Amino acid sequence: MPTSPLEYIWPGIVAAQAIHAASKLRIAEILDSGPRSAAELAAEAGADASALERLLRALGTLGILALTPDGKFANTPLSEQFSAGHPQSQRDTTLFLPAAFLWRPVGELYESVRTGEPAFPRIFGKSFFEYLDAHPEDATVFNAAMTQGIAFTSPALLAAYDFSRFRCVVDVGGGEGALLREILLATPGLGGILFDLPQTVARAGEVLTGDIAARCRIVGGSFFESVPEGGDLYVLKGVIHDWPDEDAVRILRTTRRATGPAGTLLLIENLVDSADRPVGVMELLMLVIGGRERSTADFRSILGSSGFDIARIIPAGWSSLIECRPV
Ligand SMILES: C[S@@+](CC[C@H](N)C(=O)[O-])C[C@H]1O[C@@H](n2cnc3c(N)ncnc32)[C@H](O)[C@@H]1O
């Protein structure tokens, strides 16, 4: 454990931005083909040579890049993960989390804690998803990071839950379809519906391809208005935590209309009362954008107001599967 608060602040105050800048400049991709001097990297990346050298040296100090004996910079196992081609690539996450549209609200955490109000709408004049709707480039960054995250979370989810007992799964707020793709690949014969905002599902045809494409439908719309009918399992992964209680209940109620009396609802969320899976850092991101992480009791309350009851809770990696039935 750190012995001084400065061990978090220093280098954290700049480390996230240094990684972000290197990722945007595609430094790791360039170094994939071998070490380079700062001047060579600057020419290839399109950056100021002197300033880039300072960034590279800082990343070297952090152990993210290596220095060769002849003064060049080389990838390490850490920086390799910023490369798009790496099998465990984290590139899209390094482009998202330190991006200005998240970094600026995080920088105003103090105000959110003092007032209880999310920083995001105060800074940008819009809610998080209204902002993404108006800023397609940032929406692309966000959606790509969500898609990349599925590669890390889906193995535990698939191992923890038997999807084969269902006929048709509807992934509500399913992003570009990455989770639905993994579920359908792992469950022969299962059909699926991907549901998200029209601008988000626009890319889903590139994700839900081949045999999977024939087994699923892609539907654009808003879950505040309606959710597609016809499924016997409705999955909402990382959706409810984006919203305050009032909106969460609205989403759950439209989903309840679609499930009918016999469908199953599966929320995939982080439970704050799950002691072995701490959610503290995510909790603060949710605080500044306007959502919240919840306890089992919190979920019981919003589900109860929406016509659902918790049937069981299954741990799955860092998340919990909250299986609910209509009441
Ligand atoms: C935090 S992301 C989670 C995405 C995906 N389920 C995952 O776990 O990677 C929340 C999703 O809710 C979607 N969303 C936001 N507002 C929506 C709305 N009004 N109707 C439908 N989807 C919406 C977003 O586009 C986004 O894909």
Side-chain angles (χ1 to χ4, degrees), residues 17-302:
Q17 290 301 330
I19 290 169
H20 182 65
S23 245
K24 282 188 99 163
L25 290 165
R26 294 194 169 273
I27 298 301
E29 273 97 337
I30 298 171
L31 293 178
D32 271 344
S33 57
R36 300 278 202 290
S37 68
E40 289 165 341
L41 277 169
E44 286 185 61
D48 178 86
S50 164
L52 181 64
E53 184 161 18
R54 292 156 77 179
L55 172 69
L56 299 169
R57 275 206 300 262
L59 290 167
T61 309
L62 294 170
I64 291 168
L65 287 180
L67 264 107
T68 63
D70 57 349
K72 294 187 171 181
F73 293 91
N75 268 336
T76 66
L78 275 183
S79 65
E80 278 169 359
Q81 294 170 46
F82 311 157
S83 192
H86 191 275
Q88 300 284 300
S89 179
Q90 299 275 12
R91 174 174 168 76
D92 293 323
T93 308
T94 66
L95 295 179
F96 165 50
L97 289 175
F101 68 96
L102 204 52
W103 184 256
R104 283 181 60 194
V106 170
E108 301 207 9
L109 176 63
Y110 161 75
E111 272 303 304
S112 285
V113 173
R114 196 180 65 78
T115 61
E117 297 299 323
F120 195 97
R122 195 163 40 76
I123 295 171
F124 295 109
K126 292 177 164 60
S127 72
F128 186 71
F129 289 103
E130 285 168 349
Y131 171 92
L132 291 184
D133 186 32
H135 295 84
E137 284 186 10
D138 288 335
T140 299
V141 168
F142 173 76
N143 291 330
M146 295 303 108
T147 295
Q148 187 160 80
I150 295 298
F152 294 90
T153 50
S154 59
L157 303 181
L158 292 170
Y161 198 72
D162 177 15
F163 289 92
S164 69
R165 55 193 181 95
F166 299 99
R167 178 183 41 79
C168 177
V169 53
V170 185
D171 192 356
V172 178
E176 297 174 333
L179 176 62
L180 183 60
R181 177 175 184 277
E182 295 307 314
I183 294 173
L184 295 185
L185 279 174
T187 321
L190 182 66
I193 302 174
L194 172 69
F195 181 69
D196 205 296
L197 293 165
Q199 59 272 31
T200 304
V201 298
R203 257 212 67 225
E206 295 165 36
V207 177
L208 297 162
T209 53
D211 164 51
I212 302 300
R215 282 199 271 146
C216 66
R217 231 164 22 100
I218 299 169
V219 181
S222 171
F223 47 44
F224 289 114
E225 282 155 27
S226 66
V227 163
E229 294 183 0
D232 52 353
L233 175 67
Y234 285 76
V235 173
L236 282 83
K237 176 179 171 298
V239 169
I240 296 302
H241 79 161
D242 290 335
W243 303 95
D245 283 0
E246 195 181 306
D247 291 323
V249 167
R250 286 173 62 206
I251 297 165
L252 290 168
R253 283 185 179 161
T254 53
T255 306
R256 174 67 184 80
R257 286 209 302 272
T259 61
T264 298
L265 169 70
L266 190 68
L267 302 182
I268 306 175
E269 292 281 345
N270 307 306
L271 285 174
V272 296
D273 49 341
S274 160
D276 54 331
R277 283 165 282 139
V279 295
V281 173
M282 181 68 97
E283 176 75 283
L284 297 183
L285 293 180
M286 289 303 128
L287 173 61
V288 297
I289 74 162
R292 66 176 312 126
E293 300 297 350
R294 293 180 170 84
S295 66
T296 307
D298 294 333
F299 274 108
R300 216 175 280 289
S301 162
I302 57 170

